């Protein structure tokens, strides 16, 4: 049974998918299927500031908009379908203010309220910086656009931690 969040077209039932996320140019990344070499997604990061991250399919149609809510105590991301829709697909937020790690909670569909129990918990295995190309494993039947969006949010949080550590180290020198 497919685990669809963004859309059934992103659920490959017959096999696991091994994706690689690599920089294409300054604010753009490509996501390719390792087994076929085919482009699966394009990711457009803001050049400056905290604008939305756009996930596009191979035809450059916007599939997702990842919007970081800046003025929240917890780092919070809202994820919307592509186009002009204002219907939020899911919400991702830090699990705790007191932890300096990448642990986050995901709230889907009708469970978008952070006051309820999360549908998923993200607990990355390492808190190190993600630089260069990155491998993403998507199980058969799982929504690859959903998995990519979670990867991008963790990657953005990881980059914030790296930037903070760099600033701290610069003041110590």
């Amino acid at each position: 049974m497919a685990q669809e969040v963004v859309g059934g077209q992103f659920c490959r039932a017959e096999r696991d998918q091994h994706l690689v996320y690599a920089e294409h140019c300054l604010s753009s990344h490509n996501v390719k299927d390792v087994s076929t070499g085919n482009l699966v997604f394009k990711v457009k990061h803001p050049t400056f500031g905290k604008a939305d991250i756009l996930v596009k399919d191979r035809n450059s149609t916007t599939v997702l908009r990842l919007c970081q809510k800046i003025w929240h105590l917890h780092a919070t991301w809202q994820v919307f379908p592509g186009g002009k829709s204002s219907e939020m697909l899911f919400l991702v937020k830090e699990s705790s203010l007191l932890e300096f790690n990448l642990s986050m909670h995901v709230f889907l569909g009708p469970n978008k309220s952070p006051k309820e129990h999360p549908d998923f918990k993200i607990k990355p295995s390492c808190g190190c910086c993600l630089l260069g190309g990155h491998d993403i494993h998507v199980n058969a039947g799982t929504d690859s656009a959903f998995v990519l969006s979670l990867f991008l949010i963790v990657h953005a949080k990881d980059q914030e931690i790296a930037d903070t550590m760099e600033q701290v180290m610069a003041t110590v020198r």
Side-chain angles (χ1 to χ4, degrees), residues 45-167:
H45 291 274
T47 306
F48 300 102
K50 298 273 185 190
D52 298 351
I53 296 173
L54 301 177
V55 177
K56 299 175 179 255
D57 65 13
R58 67 176 139 253
N59 299 318
S60 296
T61 302
T62 302
V63 175
L64 292 172
R65 285 183 300 119
L66 286 66
C67 309
Q68 185 176 17
K69 304 311 278 177
I70 309 243
W71 303 109
H72 286 226
L73 290 175
H74 292 274
T76 303
W77 289 80
Q78 293 176 324
V79 181
F80 299 91
K84 301 290 182 191
S85 175
S86 61
E87 178 69 26
M88 185 172 56
L89 291 173
F90 58 95
L91 176 85
V92 180
K93 71 173 208 131
E94 284 180 321
S95 59
S96 171
L97 281 173
L98 303 175
E99 296 177 25
F100 193 62
N101 64 28
L102 298 174
S103 192
M104 302 183 109
H105 290 168
V106 181
F107 301 89
L108 298 177
N111 189 17
K112 293 175 198 156
S113 170
K115 293 170 179 54
E116 301 295 325
H117 296 288
D119 294 292
F120 297 101
K121 294 181 180 182
I122 303 171
K123 293 186 179 191
S125 58
C126 92
C128 58
C129 299
L130 303 171
L131 302 172
H134 311 293
D135 290 347
I136 305 168
H137 181 88
V138 182
N139 293 334
T142 302
D143 190 324
S144 59
F146 174 60
V147 172
L148 175 62
S149 66
L150 297 177
F151 169 84
L152 293 170
I153 291 168
V154 170
H155 184 268
K157 180 64 180 167
D158 189 45
Q159 191 59 50
E160 285 178 19
I161 291 171
D163 292 347
T164 301
M165 294 303 289
E166 189 175 297
Q167 290 171 358

